[in-house]
Amino acid sequence: MRITRVEAFHVSWGEGRSRSAWVRIWSDAGTYGLGEASPMVHGNASLEIVASAFTPMLLGADPLETRVLQDRLFHQHIKLGPEGAYTGALAAVDLALWDLKGKALGQPVWKLLGGGWRREIPFYASIGGNGERTVDEVCRVVEQRLALGPSQVKIRFDADKTARDVDLAGDIAKARAVRNLVGDGFPLAFDSNNGYSVQGAIRVGRALEELGYVWFEEPVQHYHVESFAKVADALDIAVSAGEQEYTLQGIKRLIEAGVDIVQPDIVKTGGFTGLGDMAALARAYGVDLVPHQTQPSIGHTANLHFVASLTHSHYPAEYNGPYGVQDVVFRTPVRPVKGKFVLSDAPGLGLEVDESELQKRTIPWTSSAATG
Ligand code: CA
């Protein structure tokens, strides 16, 4: 089998909404696979890398050779990064190749990854924007999301990364109010989104321990690995991080600093191939890997396939939804039923496309390499 065409494009979700950065890879068997890159700045940089740097290398290659292709692509232009937009581009290609592989073999991706430890995957409601809300507003939003039946809730603060320790007492008050709302025993996680100094993080972390939170996510700037080490050393609560790491070596540094849970993201870290390596690394260290994932369509579905196959994982999958308009291009989006996502036996990622809806929303990426 050979790759005959690589399409890089945006999918528009409508005025004022974000765009998704997608890749469609066609084979000479007439089948295709779909992938998605991290959507930072609409994923523009990743689409350009796919269009101008990766496509010439992919055309004519065997799409089933996912690991060989990823390594070739990774090293060919490694001086571009190799993080962020570059591994996002690798991810889009890898997801599309696995989707294509599944369709070619008539098997779901979760099975090709080694099989499903779980076919019904509980999720945690990932709730952003709480830094701006009052305590009451935070509780109201959490209440709304509890109606979906999550097995855990994570409150995110989406902090301004140029400021630190803006409202430690307020953040603790919100954590306490949410604990009171859900009652003792319901799993909760807290995500500062890099908002604290080491001292601020330790203060909030001690409060979270007392409130019985499961994990404390990205307490300090992601690039201050030594600060993670200090926070993790001072606290008993599990400290988590890794959604802003893109390589196997980056995850290794975090684990060696003492982070208890690593959270790489399938649309940022080279897809199934990149994330699979990280899972093996985490397992070797005895550290939990709980993937970050907030993209509404392909990324979310791919993550569920990955989580299903993740060895010995008992954690719920992240769910930033409900996504509403954003999965209208699929006839078969994976939606939660009674608090769980259920993976089918449909080939590939199991996402059946409504072509006319997709065409309406597609904005082709015109590479500068193509236009000169
Ligand atoms: Ca996070």
Side-chain angles (χ1 to χ4, degrees):
M1 196 185 298
R2 297 289 155 199
I3 294 170
T4 54
R5 190 149 51 107
V6 179
E7 299 170 320
F9 56 96
H10 278 126
V11 180
S12 166
W13 303 119
E15 202 68 32
R17 291 174 187 269
S18 178
R19 293 176 180 183
S20 294
W22 285 15
V23 167
R24 171 145 53 177
I25 299 181
W26 291 85
S27 78
D28 55 3
T31 47
Y32 67 81
L34 283 172
E36 174 170 26
S38 173
M40 299 300 140
V41 198
H42 301 320
N44 291 344
S46 294
L47 289 184
E48 177 60 31
I49 290 166
V50 171
S52 63
F54 290 175
T55 298
M57 295 177 69
L58 289 167
L59 293 174
D62 184 337
L64 301 183
E65 296 193 32
T66 41
R67 180 167 287 277
V68 171
L69 285 172
Q70 174 144 123
D71 195 65
R72 289 215 170 107
L73 297 175
F74 179 78
H75 285 100
Q76 181 71 18
H77 299 286
I78 197 165
K79 289 180 183 178
L80 264 178
E83 308 207 339
Y86 196 71
T87 50
L90 288 174
V93 168
D94 189 79
L95 297 183
L97 292 178
W98 276 94
D99 186 31
L100 177 54
K101 188 188 309 213
K103 288 172 181 164
L105 301 175
Q107 297 291 336
V109 171
W110 61 261
K111 196 173 282 190
L112 297 178
L113 292 172
W117 288 95
R118 299 184 284 177
R119 295 277 300 277
E120 297 185 357
I121 300 165
F123 63 89
Y124 75 81
S126 180
I127 305 174
N130 294 302
E132 303 292 308
R133 295 188 180 113
T134 65
V135 172
D136 284 347
E137 285 168 346
V138 171
C139 287
R140 231 168 297 147
V141 174
V142 170
E143 247 170 348
Q144 283 166 9
R145 297 286 286 281
L146 283 170
L148 294 171
S151 64
Q152 178 180 320
V153 164
K154 179 171 93 183
I155 50 171
R156 312 194 319 249
F157 284 77
D158 303 301
D160 171 0
K161 291 186 201 310
T162 65
R164 291 193 302 183
D165 300 347
V166 171
D167 186 13
L168 296 174
D171 295 352
I172 292 169
K174 289 170 190 174
R176 181 168 286 119
V178 172
R179 168 53 74 206
N180 290 338
L181 175 73
V182 300
D184 291 340
F186 187 87
L188 290 170
F190 183 102
D191 184 355
S192 107
N193 295 103
N194 318 102
Y196 303 139
S197 65
V198 169
Q199 292 71 26
I202 291 170
R203 181 174 155 198
V204 173
R206 288 196 177 126
L208 296 176
E209 285 170 354
E210 181 208 313
L211 295 168
Y213 275 60
V214 178
W215 77 66
F216 185 14
E217 182 165 328
E218 290 203 301
V220 293
Q221 291 281 15
H222 82 278
Y223 42 74
H224 284 156
V225 177
E226 301 80 3
S227 299
F228 274 106
K230 289 177 188 165
V231 174
D233 194 45
L235 296 174
D236 293 327
I237 187 173
V239 172
S240 71
E243 70 174 86
Q244 298 178 84
E245 293 295 343
Y246 305 90
T247 63
L248 192 59
Q249 292 73 20
I251 292 295
K252 180 170 180 276
R253 280 192 291 275
L254 274 185
I255 293 173
E256 290 181 345
V259 164
D260 304 285
I261 296 173
V262 287
Q263 302 167 300
D265 187 316
I266 201 161
V267 302
K268 298 178 178 179
T269 56
F272 292 108
T273 303
L275 198 52
D277 284 353
M278 292 170 183
L281 180 73
R283 198 162 82 248
Y285 276 102
V287 164
D288 288 317
L289 184 142
V290 184
H292 174 270
Q293 176 46 227
T294 57
Q295 290 318 298
S297 50
I298 301 171
H300 168 68
T301 307
N303 185 56
L304 292 175
H305 281 254
F306 182 81
V307 168
S309 72
L310 191 55
T311 306
H312 302 177
S313 178
H314 62 278
Y315 286 97
E318 181 164 23
Y319 183 45
N320 197 36
Y323 293 129
V325 66
Q326 300 184 318
D327 50 25
V328 294
V329 298
F330 295 112
R331 292 205 175 92
T332 52
V334 191
R335 294 203 174 102
V337 179
K338 292 181 187 158
K340 287 184 175 153
F341 289 98
V342 181
L343 287 174
S344 74
D345 281 313
L349 294 173
L351 291 170
E352 199 184 306
V353 172
D354 181 335
E355 284 295 341
S356 71
E357 192 63 39
L358 181 59
Q359 291 311 320
K360 272 190 267 174
R361 294 171 179 275
T362 292
I363 305 165
W365 181 259
T366 306
S367 168
S368 57
T371 57

